[in-house]
Amino acid sequence: METFFLALAELADPAIILIVFAGVSAGLFVGAMPGLTATMALAVLLPFTFTLTPLYGLVALGAVYMGAIYGGSFAAILVNTPGTPSSIATAFEGYPLSKQGRALEAISVATVASAIGGIAGVLFLLFLSPPLAKLSLRFGPSEYFWVAMLGLTLIASLSEGSLMKGLLGGAIGMMLGTIGVAPIGGETRFTFGMPVMQGGVEMIVALIGLFVLPELYNMAAQGRTALGEVTVDSKEKASFWSVVVRVFSKPGNLIRSCIIGEIVAIIPGAGGNIANLVAYNEAKRASRHPERFGTGVIDGLVATESSNNVTVAGSMVPLLTLGIPGAPPDAVILGVLLLHGLRPGIELFTTSGVLTYAFIVSMGLAALAMVPVGLLGGRLIYRIIFRTPYYFLVPTIGLATILGTFALRNSISDVIIMLILGTAGYLFKQIGIHPPPIVLGLILGSIAEVGYVQAMLGGAAYNYPILRLFENSLSWVLIVMVVFSAAWPFLMGVYRRMQLRRGSKENEK
Amino acid sequence: MIRNANTDLLAGSIGMGLSLTFWFSIDREIMRLSIMFPKAMILIMALISVLLLIKGFMKAERQNLFDVGSNLRVAVTGLFFFTWGVAIAYLGFFVASVAAIFAMTGYLATARRQLNLSVLAIWLFIVIGEVAFFYLIFTQLLHVPLPEGIFF
Amino acid sequence: MSSKSNRLYQMVFVYLCLVAFILVVMPAAATAEYPEKPISYIISFNPGGESDVTARLQESHLEKFLGVPVNVSHKPGGGGAVAWSEFQRTAKPDGYTIIGVNIPHIIGQPMLRKDAGYETNGFELIMWFHFTPNALIVSKESPHKTLEDFLAYAKKNPKAATVGGSGSFSANHLETLRMERAAGVQVTYVPHTGTGPVIPALLGGHLTGAMGYSMLGVQYKDQLRVLAVAADERVESLPDAPTFKELGYDIVGGAFRGVAAPKGTPPEIVAKLANAYSETNKIIAEKQRQLGFVMTYATGKDAYALVDRMKKNYEGILQEIADQKKKQ
């Protein structure tokens, strides 16, 4: 306990506050640019942190990370483009809100939800690390396979219209994900003779292409921006306190989303990209009006933005206790820890406890700092996008898109791949194959493949290696969830029909 | 614009086409570990496609395609994007982007307003400034080596 | 456009024009001797990996010795092959673009892939700066206390012992195959997408053991046990871990990391870079050694000799795999 208070004392330092605000602002910019990821921002910052004390360096990294995950929501809300994979589902509700002239309200909601999520993640990290770390270790190959299957059941709720077309989209995404080097076999496949295709289709490249380009083509077709025609600007509803009250008025949704975020965060290799989709899906399922989702529902926005910011501090549970990065950006933070001679494990919480606790709490500060920075920044970005005529907006977003795609792997081929996928995505959208299932397939494809092939290898000594998938108790928990989740739409259908019948009978009376 | 297109049939054929393309590009010498998963996925994709085709013949979902706004503008915009992407490799990022953005802005603006030379001149400067702004952030701050071309 | 937004644009415009002006004027000044402009140092793996962290450590010292900025950038994909193939195709041999290279990657990939897109000998090697020996590692809770325990178990239960590692045909994989040959056992090698995911799998009991790099033994001292290290001598930071050689198996191998320039780069530039890297290596040696790295200083002819030596080491195994693929 004493270490904890010492840590708090460390944080009462104007330099720390400055670093937190600067870090969150920088992260916001990075997150709002499609293609610039939190991982990249942290890597760029790395040499700079060597010149700082370990605490300052870590605080800066934590703040940038926090800001980046939150910043992704801006692009999602204002231009229907997830700035990072962590805010895919944010676009589903945020963009419709923007189209109704409620962009500022959406940004305020996202800000409040993100801040709550960020703080929840810090609390999980402070109080529940040991049991959560133990749970994270129980995810082996077969569990990964079932997690991916569970993720695929999301397609049902992500596909607008035809379920079959949604499934086809998911399959296309998975196939795109198999291009390049096999994650397990190590050989290349489907490169069609081009060495550059060994790199495969990076998920973020597909994400940018599939979400941004169709939107730009739409603007071009209509000759205006989606926001351009809106005149209503509901300043009343966007006022900060009313938003806070509204977000807190549904604590169930918040708590559920935070827990989902935390569980996904501790699974190494899965992060905000999956958490936001799962939380969105569950919010929709729990809602009394699931049919309204997709038209600008505040609950959906709260679910995605709170869950993805939980993963920031949440994914550091396995990192700080076991030295296992829970999400890609954590790998960079692990590098920093090691270079400063800080080995993850018990020592980190005892010998260097003051530093560790100060770092953890500083992430909570960063979450709070997002509120002023985000509300101001959000208004600014909104103004710019709102005022800019469409003929400037289309090429400018195009520029940001191309830059972001290029910067991801410094590859011009990625830019071409992005353009091809985006254009194909526009055509696919016309015939009812929408981008979200394709991206979901891409995210889950490699997880499923790694889990499946590794489980088969792990069972190499068995007569039937496939039995390995059904060995562990955690696998069975996941299997039950898969079955339940897949059957849910049918169960709901039956339930509704029964209610209808009862209703009509009562009417007859 | 295409009226009342049978979207199930279209989606099914696209899926089938992709399945066949992937299936026939499987390398004979590749080891089982690398291909077992993709093979299963191709089969699943083909199955979904077949179901969609069947549905397309039995009880098709029909829809108007490309029925919003100007399709010509979409096609030209797409052409601009691809030219831009390819040009970056030859002209360098800066030059290609200034040219592409300027041309696109000018073209798209014709849908909304009249253009004259002085407006275009101002726009050219805005575009140069905009690209320079991003160029500097990326090369100087983020250390992204943006492609160099004929000038820099 | 309203007049208000017009003014906004004018202000933005003036600002951006200034920016553009600086941009055009800045690169004008030119001097005679190499290096006179920033050097781009490409890392063909993701941020956060060993290659990246090492490059970040080197960066500031290199800048000091060379007198120009050294910009680290990433181009991950294909286990490094994407960056290497593009490098050999497009990089200008002027010393301003250099790239991190790894053994055995640059030996194995061109041999086993049809479309690797680059050649082992297509680089102008500057230096191999460190070596991370392979090590057989188990969880602290594992019943296998020594290498003999492990091999005895593997012998009794063919294929049942699962050994994790990073990638296929990687240093880890090839070493596992050599261990199988040397000890006459059969294990199941389970490739992972990097060193990172191997650790939770090992700690969670999803693997019997892992063929990883020696650093893991240092980083996860509390949770993992190193059974044997594939180095000539014991690693400084792991004084209690025996080498395979001591235990009677002639297995030495691991990953070498280094840096290379495009083929045809003038020798005096390569020498200058090699010098800067060597000096840097000496400075960061202390930090790296503590993390479990073994520092090397192979420049010039030694650098090529090292590739040849490692090629010979792995040739047998690689040929066997290539033959197997043909037979299929």
Side-chain angles (χ1 to χ4, degrees):
Chain A
M1 216 48 211
E2 206 193 319
T3 16
F4 186 70
F5 287 116
L6 281 175
L8 288 187
E10 286 275 318
L11 289 177
D13 173 352
I16 295 261
I17 307 296
L18 193 73
I19 290 175
V20 165
F21 273 92
V24 168
S25 312
L28 201 75
F29 170 77
V30 167
M33 280 283 287
L36 293 190
T37 60
T39 318
M40 185 191 162
L42 296 191
V44 169
L45 207 62
L46 198 67
F48 176 65
T49 63
F50 293 151
T51 61
L52 305 173
T53 65
L55 180 62
Y56 287 178
L58 284 172
V59 169
L61 291 173
V64 169
Y65 189 178
M66 195 62 105
I69 298 292
Y70 158 60
S73 67
F74 282 32
I77 291 170
L78 293 171
V79 275
N80 200 16
T81 303
T84 67
S86 293
S87 38
I88 295 174
T90 308
F92 300 166
E93 302 302 331
Y95 191 56
L97 280 171
S98 284
K99 282 206 224 167
Q100 296 160 24
R102 294 163 70 191
L104 285 178
E105 187 188 347
I107 288 177
S108 303
V109 170
T111 307
V112 175
S114 295
I116 295 170
I119 291 169
V122 170
L123 294 179
F124 278 117
L125 179 56
L126 275 179
F127 297 110
L128 287 173
S129 274
L132 286 173
K134 232 175 236 156
L135 179 64
S136 88
L137 284 183
R138 294 190 54 185
F139 283 86
S142 41
E143 285 77 14
Y144 276 105
F145 176 76
W146 292 115
V147 165
M149 292 300 113
L150 188 61
L152 282 183
T153 61
L154 296 183
I155 285 181
S157 69
L158 290 186
S159 44
E160 308 161 38
S162 158
L163 174 64
M164 285 305 285
K165 285 180 193 158
L167 288 174
L168 182 63
I172 291 174
M174 285 208 162
M175 278 321 294
L176 286 177
T178 62
I179 294 174
V181 176
I184 301 302
E187 290 162 289
T188 53
R189 50 199 187 183
F190 308 129
T191 55
F192 303 98
M194 289 174 273
V196 65
M197 291 307 284
Q198 288 176 98
V201 177
E202 170 74 25
M203 188 261 289
I204 297 174
V205 171
L207 177 78
I208 296 172
L210 288 168
F211 277 88
V212 188
L213 277 200
E215 207 50 53
L216 294 183
Y217 285 136
N218 261 339
M219 286 187 201
Q222 299 183 16
R224 61 181 172 83
T225 62
L227 306 182
E229 303 262 299
V230 176
T231 44
V232 218
D233 191 2
S234 50
K235 278 216 173 96
E236 280 289 294
K237 278 192 180 162
S239 100
F240 179 66
W241 289 113
S242 78
V243 165
V244 172
V245 170
R246 268 199 294 161
V247 170
F248 274 105
S249 70
K250 294 208 175 140
N253 187 23
L254 265 181
I255 294 170
R256 175 175 7 88
S257 306
C258 287
I259 292 177
I260 290 172
E262 182 58 39
I263 291 177
V264 176
I266 60 165
I267 304 175
N273 54 357
I274 294 182
N276 81 93
L277 288 167
V278 177
Y280 177 78
N281 187 44
E282 293 310 316
K284 182 175 177 181
R285 216 182 281 188
S287 167
R288 241 175 263 151
H289 303 286
E291 72 284 352
R292 284 191 202 156
F293 272 67
T295 61
V297 177
I298 297 289
D299 290 353
L301 206 54
V302 170
T304 65
E305 280 304 308
S306 57
S307 67
N308 67 20
N309 275 86
V310 169
T311 62
V312 175
S315 63
M316 287 187 202
V317 166
L319 176 74
L320 297 182
T321 50
L322 303 164
I324 297 162
D330 296 337
V332 180
I333 293 181
L334 176 64
V336 174
L337 288 174
L338 289 173
L339 283 175
H340 284 298
L342 300 163
R343 238 158 15 84
I346 309 213
E347 273 173 42
L348 207 55
F349 290 87
T350 51
T351 330
S352 33
V354 176
L355 174 69
T356 308
Y357 283 117
F359 169 51
I360 294 174
V361 176
S362 82
M363 281 191 282
L365 287 183
L368 286 175
M370 289 191 310
V371 174
V373 172
L375 290 179
L376 272 176
R379 253 153 239 261
L380 194 73
I381 297 179
Y382 170 73
R383 289 252 162 85
I384 292 173
I385 289 185
F386 191 78
R387 286 230 186 113
T388 308
Y390 101 101
Y391 40 85
F392 271 111
L393 206 55
V394 170
T396 302
I397 296 177
L399 173 71
T401 312
I402 288 178
L403 266 171
T405 311
F406 179 83
L408 199 63
R409 300 197 288 190
N410 297 319
S411 154
I412 201 78
S413 332
D414 276 351
V415 174
I416 305 291
I417 293 174
M418 183 274 288
L419 292 173
I420 293 175
L421 284 179
T423 309
Y426 176 72
L427 302 177
F428 282 0
K429 221 173 167 176
Q430 297 283 335
I431 57 171
I433 305 172
H434 292 269
I438 303 180
V439 172
L440 189 70
L442 249 170
I443 295 176
L444 296 173
S446 62
I447 298 180
E449 173 163 15
V450 169
Y452 181 70
V453 179
Q454 282 183 347
M456 291 298 122
L457 278 172
Y462 302 4
N463 286 334
Y464 300 99
I466 201 154
L467 290 178
R468 182 85 176 195
L469 286 175
F470 303 92
E471 247 182 12
N472 307 334
S473 52
L474 187 57
S475 292
W476 277 104
V477 173
L478 289 165
I479 292 170
V480 170
M481 284 164 76
V482 171
V483 171
F484 180 73
S485 183
W488 180 264
F490 300 103
L491 291 178
M492 276 315 279
V494 173
Y495 175 73
R496 281 224 189 96
R497 238 170 288 146
M498 274 165 59
Q499 274 203 325
L500 265 182
R501 206 172 295 159
R502 200 183 303 153
S504 60
K505 264 184 194 163
E506 269 165 21
N507 280 347
E508 279 163 29
K509 278 175 196 170
Chain B
M1 166 165 149
I2 304 166
R3 264 176 220 288
N4 268 336
N6 185 337
T7 57
D8 285 328
L9 215 57
L10 278 171
S13 352
I14 289 174
M16 211 56 216
L18 283 174
S19 310
L20 292 174
T21 315
F22 275 105
W23 185 264
F24 285 108
S25 62
I26 291 178
D27 187 348
R28 286 251 178 84
E29 275 180 24
I30 199 163
M31 284 150 95
R32 201 174 134 264
L33 275 189
S34 304
I35 206 68
M36 60 202 265
F37 183 81
K39 263 188 183 162
M41 281 316 303
I42 294 176
L43 291 179
I44 291 173
M45 184 153 87
L47 180 75
I48 298 170
S49 307
V50 167
L51 288 177
L52 270 169
L53 287 175
I54 293 174
K55 185 164 167 280
F57 283 118
M58 311 275 288
K59 199 178 86 186
E61 198 176 301
R62 290 184 176 277
Q63 229 173 307
N64 293 344
L65 306 184
F66 305 108
D67 56 349
V68 181
S70 152
N71 286 316
L72 175 69
R73 261 202 314 272
V74 172
V76 175
T77 308
L79 206 66
F80 271 127
F81 276 133
F82 279 98
T83 320
W84 185 357
V86 174
I88 287 176
Y90 296 99
L91 302 180
F93 171 79
F94 192 87
V95 178
S97 297
V98 168
I101 295 179
F102 182 62
M104 266 176 108
T105 308
Y107 170 72
L108 291 173
T110 52
R112 306 294 288 181
R113 55 173 292 170
Q114 299 261 304
L115 293 176
N116 56 45
L117 223 60
S118 67
V119 170
L120 282 178
I122 294 175
W123 284 4
L124 180 62
F125 276 101
I126 295 180
V127 169
I128 290 175
E130 179 188 343
V131 177
F133 176 70
F134 279 103
Y135 184 83
L136 279 184
I137 288 191
F138 274 74
T139 51
Q140 303 303 309
L141 224 60
L142 299 173
H143 297 319
V144 174
L146 292 172
E148 292 174 13
I150 43 175
F151 301 121
F152 55 88
Chain C
M1 252 193 271
S2 71
S3 67
K4 203 172 172 192
S5 64
N6 241 336
R7 209 172 308 138
L8 180 85
Y9 280 115
Q10 272 165 14
M11 274 166 59
V12 171
F13 164 69
V14 169
Y15 173 59
L16 294 179
C17 275
L18 273 175
V19 161
F21 177 73
I22 296 167
L23 180 89
V24 175
V25 172
M26 226 171 28
T31 46
E33 210 181 335
Y34 173 89
E36 57 187 18
K37 60 174 187 174
I39 294 172
S40 163
Y41 181 11
I42 304 167
I43 296 299
S44 47
F45 295 92
N46 273 313
E50 287 98 13
S51 299
D52 174 52
V53 173
T54 308
R56 298 288 174 193
L57 263 180
Q58 293 168 335
E59 201 178 331
S60 60
H61 302 295
L62 287 174
E63 285 176 358
K64 205 169 56 207
F65 290 119
L66 291 168
V68 292
V70 174
N71 299 330
V72 177
S73 60
H74 303 97
K75 200 182 186 63
V82 171
W84 291 323
S85 63
E86 190 177 307
F87 187 77
Q88 292 198 350
R89 257 201 328 274
T90 63
K92 277 184 230 145
D94 56 5
Y96 291 108
T97 329
I98 53 178
I99 194 165
V101 284
N102 300 42
I103 298 179
H105 307 57
I106 63 162
I107 296 175
Q109 286 170 356
M111 239 175 120
L112 295 169
R113 285 186 196 163
K114 262 189 195 159
D115 50 7
Y118 72 95
E119 286 164 33
T120 310
N121 300 325
F123 295 105
E124 206 75 58
L125 296 173
I126 297 169
M127 178 183 184
W128 295 106
F129 42 73
H130 72 233
F131 168 54
T132 47
N134 284 310
L136 185 66
I137 300 168
V138 295
S139 159
K140 266 262 148 77
E141 277 141 42
S142 161
H144 310 302
K145 304 274 184 240
T146 63
L147 181 67
E148 284 315 307
D149 289 352
F150 185 89
L151 292 177
Y153 170 79
K155 199 160 236 164
K156 223 197 229 154
N157 309 287
K159 285 189 178 171
T162 49
V163 176
S166 163
S168 280
F169 315 124
S170 58
N172 297 160
H173 186 188
L174 299 176
E175 218 65 56
T176 311
L177 293 174
R178 281 166 75 191
M179 183 181 78
E180 279 186 322
R181 304 280 184 294
V185 297
Q186 262 193 317
V187 299
T188 304
Y189 177 75
V190 183
H192 287 67
T193 46
T195 302
V198 179
I199 310 302
L202 201 53
L203 295 179
H206 307 286
L207 292 169
T208 318
M211 187 63 87
Y213 296 123
S214 54
M215 296 99 66
L216 298 179
V218 185
Q219 282 171 30
Y220 300 92
K221 219 186 322 185
D222 314 324
Q223 295 131 332
L224 300 177
R225 179 165 46 234
V226 179
L227 297 184
V229 182
D232 285 315
E233 291 160 23
R234 289 197 178 199
V235 176
E236 207 181 282
S237 48
L238 289 169
D240 301 327
T243 63
F244 275 102
K245 262 192 174 159
E246 285 173 47
L247 300 170
Y249 304 96
D250 186 19
I251 304 173
V252 175
F256 286 88
R257 292 191 186 80
V259 59
K263 196 97 201 160
T265 306
E268 60 276 9
I269 289 181
V270 174
K272 202 159 196 174
L273 286 166
N275 186 42
Y277 270 92
S278 303
E279 292 304 317
T280 301
N281 221 26
K282 280 177 202 154
I283 298 175
I284 62 174
E286 192 48 41
K287 241 182 187 155
Q288 294 232 295
R289 239 183 261 135
Q290 278 169 14
L291 296 175
F293 292 85
V294 177
M295 309 311 281
T296 57
Y297 292 87
T299 56
K301 274 194 190 120
D302 295 350
Y304 294 95
L306 182 68
V307 175
D308 287 340
R309 194 185 122 203
M310 294 314 289
K311 217 175 189 171
K312 243 174 236 134
N313 269 353
Y314 288 121
E315 221 155 35
I317 290 285
L318 288 172
Q319 199 52 52
E320 230 171 273
I321 298 171
D323 290 346
Q324 252 175 34
K325 281 176 82 167
K326 288 242 169 66
K327 241 185 266 159
Q328 233 179 10

